[in-house]
Amino acid sequence: MAAGQSATVEDRRRKRRFADMTDRGAMESRRTGRSVRLDTLVRLRWLAVIGQTTAVLVVYFGLDFELPVWACLAVIALAAWLNVALRIRFPSAQRLEPDRAAWLLAFDVAELAVLLFFTGGLQNPFAFLFLGPVLISATALPPRMTLMLGGFAIACATVLIFVHDPLPWDIEPPLELPAVYVMGVWLSILLAIAFIGLHAWQVTEEARQLADALTATELVLAREQHLSQLDGLAAAAAHELGTPLATITLIAKELQLAIKPDSEHADDVRMLNEQAKRCRAILGRLTELSTGDPFDNMKLSTLIEEVVAPHRDFGVAISVALSAGDASEPVGGRNPAILYGLGNLLENAVDFARERVEVAASWGRDDVAVTITDDGPGFAPEIMDRIGEPYVTGRRHMQASVDVEAGGLGLGLFIAKTLLERSGARLVFANRTAPERGASVQVRWARADFEEQPAPASWAPSEAGPEPEATAN
């Protein structure tokens, strides 16, 4: 009993350590994910150089408007020269740190501001291109860098209200648009930078969080499949080693009978026999692992017991209730995704429960359901609509009377939900109705989906046949 309890404690500790490692990996991924490929910025600047050059030449030669064409082309040439220098100095796959990328984008803002200074300031309709570098920053750089770049763009736009050359036009005197119109353009640029930049940042951040969380999910699933394969390998090894170990045991017994008790080799033979018995006991325990044929397929009740076993004896009573419908008990593959998903939901229930957790399994001809309830504080109202999203955690909302260590990024429920949904399940999170208290999570499959769960690939035993047994004369 003590050995079993220590095994379950160690199993939970391993899960905790792995969950912490997954959280740290996700945090590191989010920190290091804020970088931009130099090739991306260089290509975008070449596009800007081509567009600006075309616009200047068309206005000067095509429309025959007066503007300082050589000054404008010199500014554009400076941007082209910077691109060439970057291509020579750095490889195309170079990823820039956020601050360096922000400096390059700030250069683009400044270059555009100088061009607008020569061509009418904010009266020039191309003034809205100030939004471009800020939008790139919002999708790829930290918020602090985006705020600084947006502030710089707005400052340049503000200066251009008062300081600029006349707008290129074909009439005399030079065209001057009303001040109220120019202020409207300035205000629209300000609102576009703020609104579109914030929207782009939010959409990109949600996509980045989802990608990081899915990566953590794949890591968890790969770990669970690896553990299942190790179990299968252990069972296969126990099966293959059984025959040669039986031979060794037989020879050891015969040697012990043949050697006289006062022989100098009697102790060695006796120790050999004892160690052979010990090996047989170890292999016997390995063959009890619930993997490999015939355990690739398991009844729902067996699956529930395998999920519940590591979480017993932790001060919270766990009761299991099976409700049979008008059909036989469903049998599905031993899917690591289902085992981990249900195990994670149960572990959360045990962590938040005060005294009791209930696991209810029911089935019928068409569906299979598992419901996990606890008597804890339940899901916090402010996260109720976001349960199952990545990086949403309710641990910080726990009452002080509940002894739960705060922490974690809220990936646990997301990973469990994702893995279970991949198996065809639908999850419903809810709080229990008064006067009862606590949380309830229902996992429901179509019976066909549950029974068609693929079992993990097992390690195949060696094709070499067993060694021949030794026989006594």
Side-chain angles (χ1 to χ4, degrees):
M1 180 65 179
Q5 182 174 355
S6 62
T8 57
V9 171
E10 183 61 26
D11 183 76
R12 282 174 62 91
R13 287 177 179 172
R14 283 198 300 268
K15 287 189 69 176
R16 289 289 190 183
R17 287 196 296 269
F18 183 77
D20 292 342
M21 180 183 68
T22 303
D23 282 356
R24 289 196 298 270
M27 290 180 66
E28 184 65 21
S29 175
R30 296 176 72 189
R31 285 196 297 266
T32 59
R34 297 287 191 173
S35 60
V36 185
R37 284 183 59 195
L38 176 63
D39 184 66
T40 300
L41 295 182
V42 169
R43 288 175 181 270
L44 290 174
R45 187 175 292 113
W46 278 127
L47 184 62
V49 166
I50 294 173
Q52 292 166 359
T53 303
T54 301
V56 169
L57 295 179
V58 168
V59 169
Y60 186 74
F61 293 104
L63 301 179
D64 199 24
F65 289 170
E66 289 295 329
L67 77 159
V69 61
W70 297 114
C72 293
L73 292 178
V75 174
I76 298 173
L78 179 62
W81 173 85
L82 177 60
N83 261 7
V84 173
L86 291 174
R87 282 294 194 190
I88 296 174
R89 176 64 179 82
F90 300 101
S92 60
Q94 175 78 28
R95 300 197 72 88
L96 298 175
E97 296 297 326
D99 54 345
R100 295 184 178 182
W103 278 111
L104 290 178
L105 292 173
F107 171 85
D108 293 333
V109 172
E111 188 251 358
L112 177 62
V114 174
L115 282 178
L116 291 175
F117 166 78
F118 288 126
T119 56
L122 293 192
Q123 300 179 36
N124 191 321
F126 289 101
F128 286 96
L129 291 177
F130 275 128
L131 180 61
V134 180
L135 184 59
I136 297 173
S137 176
T139 58
L141 300 183
R144 180 174 59 88
M145 300 293 182
T146 303
L147 288 175
M148 295 174 62
L149 192 64
F152 179 61
I154 294 172
C156 291
T158 304
V159 171
L160 289 174
I161 297 176
F162 308 101
V163 182
H164 60 82
D165 283 352
L167 179 69
W169 207 252
D170 59 353
I171 60 174
E172 292 291 341
L175 178 65
E176 285 290 337
L177 297 178
V180 64
Y181 174 82
V182 176
M183 288 303 299
V185 172
W186 178 85
L187 183 60
S188 63
I189 293 176
L190 172 63
L191 294 179
I193 289 177
F195 176 77
I196 299 179
L198 178 61
H199 184 69
W201 174 83
Q202 184 175 3
V203 171
T204 306
E205 183 67 13
E206 290 177 357
R208 184 181 290 111
Q209 288 182 353
L210 183 60
D212 292 342
L214 288 175
T215 300
T217 304
E218 295 294 342
L219 182 62
V220 168
L221 182 57
R223 170 185 177 269
E224 293 299 312
Q225 291 176 336
H226 181 62
L227 291 179
S228 296
Q229 291 172 344
L230 288 179
D231 287 350
L233 177 61
H239 174 74
E240 290 293 313
L241 292 174
T243 299
L245 184 60
T247 303
I248 295 173
T249 303
L250 178 60
I251 296 175
K253 286 182 178 179
E254 297 214 0
L255 286 175
Q256 190 172 14
L257 294 175
I259 294 179
K260 296 180 180 181
D262 57 350
S263 173
E264 61 178 342
H265 300 294
D267 291 339
D268 294 335
V269 174
R270 184 172 59 253
M271 182 177 295
L272 177 63
N273 195 20
E274 291 175 353
Q275 294 302 313
K277 291 180 179 179
R278 183 181 177 188
C279 289
R280 288 179 67 100
I282 293 173
L283 291 181
R285 288 197 296 269
L286 289 177
T287 56
E288 294 176 358
L289 291 172
S290 57
T291 54
D293 192 26
F295 295 103
D296 282 345
N297 294 313
M298 57 198 324
K299 293 183 178 180
L300 176 62
S301 57
T302 307
L303 183 145
I304 295 297
E305 183 57 34
E306 184 169 342
V307 170
V308 170
H311 304 283
R312 296 190 188 275
D313 304 318
F314 284 92
V316 175
I318 302 177
S319 63
V320 178
L322 302 178
S323 177
D326 56 352
S328 60
E329 184 175 356
V331 178
R334 189 180 185 277
N335 190 326
I338 295 179
L339 290 172
Y340 182 89
L342 292 178
N344 190 281
L345 295 178
L346 181 61
E347 183 177 358
N348 281 342
V350 171
D351 287 342
F352 287 102
R354 297 180 182 273
E355 298 178 355
R356 188 176 184 83
V357 172
E358 298 177 0
V359 181
S362 61
W363 61 86
R365 295 184 181 276
D366 299 324
D367 59 358
V368 177
V370 176
T371 304
I372 301 174
T373 57
D374 62 70
D375 59 354
F379 296 116
E382 56 267 31
I383 68 170
M384 195 66 188
D385 294 335
R386 301 180 58 203
I387 293 176
E389 294 182 10
Y391 306 103
V392 174
T393 176
R395 294 189 183 274
R396 65 176 62 94
H397 303 291
M398 291 294 294
Q399 297 178 2
S401 59
V402 182
D403 185 16
V404 176
E405 181 181 359
L409 293 177
L411 283 177
L413 282 179
F414 171 81
I415 292 174
K417 181 174 181 288
T418 302
L419 293 179
L420 290 171
E421 286 179 343
R422 286 185 179 183
S423 70
R426 299 186 305 276
L427 281 75
V428 177
F429 298 89
N431 286 325
R432 303 172 70 180
T433 56
E436 297 178 334
R437 59 178 300 166
S440 172
V441 181
Q442 184 185 72
V443 185
R444 183 177 295 274
W445 294 267
R447 185 179 177 111
D449 291 339
F450 181 84
E451 292 184 332
E452 291 177 2
Q453 295 301 326
S458 59
W459 290 80
S462 173
E463 295 182 359
E467 296 179 8
E469 294 188 14
T471 57
N473 292 328

